[in-house]
Amino acid sequence: MKIKEILTSLQGRSLEVTGRITTMEPITLRTRRLVKATLTDDTGSIMLNLWGKQANQCQAGDLIKLKDAYVKIYRGVAELSTWKDIEVL
């Protein structure tokens, strides 16, 4: 699925998305590790939440594939998340 399609519908579960990570920013939480990344493809970009070990599975510049991803709106911004491992292509 393309990012533009996700942003247009703002809904969905079990999404499969491929894109390139352009930025990664660690967020300090008390109990969990979170990195906010920007995922980009040829149609747009979206915020990607990388939880725990997912943050170690990829880095900025990597082309990745997300499986079983879902989109949520947090503070007015669409964000992708998945509990599956990140696949670097």
Side-chain angles (χ1 to χ4, degrees):
M1 178 172 254
K2 295 290 189 174
I3 291 172
K4 182 179 180 180
E5 295 169 9
I6 295 168
L7 294 174
T8 302
S9 67
L10 291 180
Q11 61 184 354
R13 294 208 173 273
S14 299
L15 304 174
E16 188 170 297
V17 183
T18 301
R20 187 168 306 279
I21 295 178
T22 55
T23 64
M24 295 179 75
E25 179 183 337
I27 305 296
T28 303
L29 299 175
R30 292 182 192 206
T31 59
R32 300 176 110 181
R33 181 170 182 216
L34 171 63
V35 171
K36 296 266 187 184
T38 304
L39 185 67
T40 304
D41 69 9
D42 59 341
T43 66
S45 61
I46 192 168
M47 185 66 60
L48 170 63
N49 295 314
L50 299 169
W51 294 95
K53 68 178 183 174
Q54 291 175 336
N56 296 329
Q57 294 174 341
C58 55
Q59 58 188 355
D62 284 348
L63 183 64
I64 65 167
K65 180 185 251 182
L66 301 174
K67 293 181 181 176
D68 286 335
Y70 57 94
V71 63
K72 294 274 189 173
I73 305 299
Y74 179 70
R75 295 184 179 177
V77 177
E79 297 183 346
L80 274 176
S81 296
T82 184
W83 295 111
K84 302 282 183 168
D85 286 342
I86 305 300
E87 181 181 346
V88 178
L89 303 175

